[in-house]
Amino acid sequence: MRTRRSEYSESTRQALVDSAVDLFTKRGYAGTSLDEVVKRARVTKGALYHHFSGKQALFEAAFTQVETRSIESLTAVVTGEGDAWDTAVAGLRAYVRKCLEPEYQRIIVHEAPVVMGWERWREAEEQFSFGLLRTAVQLLVDAGEIEEAPVEIMARLLFGALSAGASTIASSSDPKRTGREVERAILRVLEGLRKK
């Protein structure tokens, strides 16, 4: 049984992360101050420093929250009912829709590589997105939908394509149109791997 104090601490931390996600999405990392974060969360700066060592640690918590929620929703699609091909295609479409969401674009695609540094960002993406993609590729191979090939290599190549697609969508002046084009292009790559 959790104590009232631990519940309060957890709700304070969550309020800070929710506030940070909202502000980082709207203003970016550089345009967001910790004073704004605590004001929006309705907590003290001392409470912020109780939970986070600073702005970068808060950003990483915001990143983790956005990625965790994204991966949970995408995992439900990729591992859902239906044959492996249909769920993989549905997963691709769901990922492109995710890339159109402002918080995903701003926090995951634009800000994270800069704020976290390229190495740390790639490491975090390995933990989240790559694992799901590797699972999807393994399911396609196991179902006999795509040619037998080293799953790790194939997943890494597709991961590179999806990462480039996410950046292209996020940088586009017409993200919806670009999203459709990215979806079609990656689907053509997948279909090229499909057994005839």
Side-chain angles (χ1 to χ4, degrees), residues 118-183:
W118 181 257
E119 295 254 338
R120 173 75 186 102
W121 175 68
R122 292 306 284 182
E123 179 184 296
E125 286 293 274
E126 289 268 327
Q127 177 186 343
F128 290 104
S129 306
F130 180 72
L132 177 59
L133 180 60
R134 190 182 190 295
T135 298
V137 171
Q138 186 68 60
L139 290 170
L140 288 169
V141 170
D142 292 347
E145 289 286 352
I146 60 176
E147 297 291 335
E148 191 86 33
V151 170
E152 185 78 15
I153 293 170
M154 198 178 316
R156 290 207 177 277
L157 293 173
L158 288 171
F159 184 66
L162 288 169
S163 295
S167 294
T168 303
I169 292 166
S171 301
S172 174
S173 60
D174 187 352
K176 287 184 181 178
R177 180 183 54 78
T178 303
R180 288 189 300 271
E181 291 169 354
V182 165
E183 183 181 310

Side-chain angles (χ1 to χ4, degrees), residues 75-114:
T75 298
V77 173
V78 170
T79 60
E81 294 295 314
D83 68 40
W85 182 260
D86 291 342
T87 56
V89 170
L92 168 62
R93 291 188 172 126
Y95 178 72
V96 169
R97 284 193 306 274
K98 186 61 62 185
C99 291
L100 294 171
E101 293 176 5
E103 69 181 23
Y104 193 87
Q105 281 185 15
R106 187 71 177 255
I107 293 173
I108 306 302
V109 180
H110 282 305
E111 299 283 346
V114 176

